[in-house]
Structure formats: C-alpha cells, structure tokens
C-alpha cells in the first residue's frame, strides 16, 4: 500500500542527507544558516512535531481553523484526506480481519516502533504511537503517512516560487534586525536588510527547482506497478481514482470563477510521493 508513496520519498531524503553532510558549506550561501545552524533548526522543529499536527482533521481542529471561510487549503486537503482514508479503510479491512490481527502483526508493530524510536526519538510527548492495537488506529496511521507524502508535501512545496519569487515576501536572510518600533522603517534600511542580488539569484534558482514538475512524476492514485492482484483491492483503487477526479473537477470549477486561484492540491498537481 505504501510502496508508491515511498517510491521517491526515501531516495530524495537519503540524497538530501548526503548533500548536507558532504556539501554543508553551501547551505549558508542563500540563507545565512550554517550546516550546524540548520541542524539546530531541524532539531527545534522536530520537537514541535506532534501526531496531532500530522493528522489533518486533528490539526485543523487544534488550530481553530474549522470554520474560517474561504480556507481553500483546509477544504481541498480535507477532501484528499477523506479520499485517502476511504481507500486505506478498504485495503486494511480486506487484509486484517479484526483488531487482534493488527495487534498480533509483529512486523507491523516493529515498523511502527522503529518510526517512533528513530523518526521521533522516542518522544512520548509527540503523541506518535509506538504500537497499533486496532484496525482504526492502523487506518489513521497509514492515512497520515500517505497524506504527508503526497498532499501535504504538494501544499507546502509547489507554491514556493509563486510565493517567494518576490523576495521581500519571504527573504531567505536579513542583513539587519527588523524594526521594533513603528515609524522607524525607511526605504534604504529596507534595501540594506533584504538579501543582495547574487544571494537572491541563488534563492530564485532553488525555488524554481523545488516548485518544478518532473517529467517522470507519478500523480496521486496512479500506480504503474501492480502491487495488488486480488479483485477487491483493485476495485478500491478504481474508486479512489474516481474520487480524485471528482476533487479535481471541483477545484478546477472553483478556480475558473475565482479571482485568485488555489491549485496546489489539485490531484493533477499532487504526486504520490516526495520527489524533490
């Protein structure tokens, strides 16, 4: 079930770690953050990651964003979460006859424990489970993994150039502290604060690469390899693909009428796995 969603994810993560280790000195060219500094940022960020933040419905409720109007990320992401959850439910209940089958699956339990121990450093405060005892728990966990590797990555990655190409909107570094008092900002101070031209060019290239679409991309729900041979799982795949088409049509209809389009969670722009 997860193979298509790890197809590129594991490779790109391994490659990124090698680049950071072997060429860490290049990191500070665009951001001003050294290799050691980046590790500290990642460490602090990991300390804030919780199971609630990774599970979209819980995260939306926790942040009080359930009823904010015109919140397209929430609406499109929830549609994709529900489609993925329905697909996962069909597959899991087909192969696991009940809760005892889940709790007794030693390979599954070892996998979850490995994620808890090495991925989240055994932090019980994260809320990430170290074992799964019920079918419902397994469905939620797998939905979280698939959603994170596909829709969530598309939401935070695909718009980086659109949002950051105008550098003052998201400067990669600042040469001065931001003003602390009103009325003390002026043009020259602002120009002296944002990155200089060469740094800006480096960042723009990076943003273009991160936001680009690869020719060999595999969109969400497209499974060239046949991992399932039984008729029932194949039916679940077709139903999943049908729901994705409905989501695509709804998003494109909304964008056709909208003054400001939000297309980052269109299934036509969402890959199965993290490829860059």
């Amino acid at each position: 079930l997860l193979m298509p969603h790890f197809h590129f994810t594991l490779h790109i993560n391994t490659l990124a770690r090698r680049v950071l280790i072997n060429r860490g000195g290049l990191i500070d060219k665009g951001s001003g953050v050294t290799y050691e500094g980046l590790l500290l940022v990642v460490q602090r960020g990991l300390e804030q990651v919780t199971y609630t933040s990774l599970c979209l419905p819980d995260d939306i409720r926790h942040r009080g964003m359930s009823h904010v109007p015109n919140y397209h990320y929430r609406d499109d992401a929830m549609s994709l979460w529900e489609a993925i959850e329905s697909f996962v439910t069909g597959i899991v209940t087909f192969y696991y006859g009940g809760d005892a089958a889940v709790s007794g699956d030693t390979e599954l339990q070892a996998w979850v424990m490995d994620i808890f121990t090495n991925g989240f450093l055994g932090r019980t405060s994260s809320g990430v489970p170290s074992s799964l005892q019920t079918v419902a728990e397994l469905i939620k966990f797998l939905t979280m993994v698939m959603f994170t590797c596909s829709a969530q990555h598309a939401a935070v990655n695909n718009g980086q150039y659109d949002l950051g190409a105008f550098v003052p909107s998201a400067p990669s570094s600042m040469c001065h502290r931001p003003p602390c008092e009103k009325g003390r900002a002026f043009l020259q101070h602002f120009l002296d604060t944002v990155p200089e031209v060469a740094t800006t060019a480096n960042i723009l290239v990076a943003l273009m690469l991160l936001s680009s679409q690869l020719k060999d991309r595999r969109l969400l729900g497209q499974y060239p390899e046949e991992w399932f041979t039984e008729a029932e799982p194949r039916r679940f795949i077709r139903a999943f693909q049908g729901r994705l088409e409905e989501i695509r049509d709804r998003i494109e209809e909304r964008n056709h009428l909208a003054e400001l389009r939000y297309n980052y969670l269109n299934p036509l722009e969402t890959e199965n796995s993290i490829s860059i």
Side-chain angles (χ1 to χ4, degrees), residues 11 41 232 248 273:
H11 174 73
V41 170
E232 195 71 358
R248 176 203 65 195
S273 65

Side-chain angles (χ1 to χ4, degrees), residues 160 163-174 194-195 203 207:
Q160 289 187 81
L163 300 174
F166 181 60
V167 175
S169 294
S172 62
S173 61
M174 298 181 68
V194 296
I203 292 299
L207 293 178

Side-chain angles (χ1 to χ4, degrees), residues 48 88 153 159 168 191 243:
Q48 303 301 315
V88 171
H153 181 259
L191 295 176
R243 290 193 65 170

Side-chain angles (χ1 to χ4, degrees), residues 19-185:
V19 171
L20 289 179
I21 293 173
N22 297 330
R23 303 175 66 186
L26 295 179
I27 296 172
D28 61 349
K29 284 192 174 181
S31 66
V33 180
T34 63
Y35 174 65
E36 292 76 13
L38 183 60
L39 290 181
L40 181 60
V41 170
V42 172
Q43 178 184 348
R44 290 178 176 176
L46 179 60
E47 293 172 353
Q48 303 301 315
V49 176
T50 65
Y51 197 44
T52 294
S53 68
L54 293 172
C55 296
L56 180 72
D58 299 337
D59 179 56
I60 293 297
R61 287 192 295 269
H62 178 73
R63 294 191 293 116
M65 303 298 288
S66 299
H67 304 293
V68 175
N70 301 316
Y71 189 17
H72 298 321
Y73 162 76
R74 175 202 58 210
D75 298 337
D76 296 348
M78 283 297 297
S79 295
L80 290 174
W81 176 279
E82 291 167 359
I84 294 172
E85 183 179 49
S86 177
F87 174 45
V88 171
T89 298
I91 296 292
V92 169
T93 54
F94 179 78
Y95 287 105
Y96 288 88
D99 295 343
V102 172
S103 60
D105 188 335
T106 55
E107 289 185 76
L108 172 65
Q109 300 304 330
W111 176 66
V112 174
M113 176 59 77
D114 184 49
I115 293 174
F116 173 73
T117 303
N118 296 305
F120 294 89
L121 307 181
R123 291 187 302 109
T124 56
S125 60
S126 69
V128 174
S130 58
S131 66
L132 300 173
Q133 301 302 315
T134 68
V135 170
E137 290 176 356
L138 176 57
I139 290 171
K140 182 176 182 178
F141 194 85
L142 295 178
T143 300
M144 177 274 294
V145 173
M146 291 173 59
F147 178 83
T148 301
C149 292
S150 58
Q152 185 72 340
H153 181 259
V156 301
N157 176 79
N158 294 355
Q160 289 187 81
Y161 183 80
D162 294 344
L163 300 174
F166 181 60
V167 175
S169 294
S172 62
S173 61
M174 298 181 68
C175 301
H176 298 286
R177 293 180 180 273
C180 299
E181 301 176 18
K182 290 186 177 181
R184 299 297 298 271

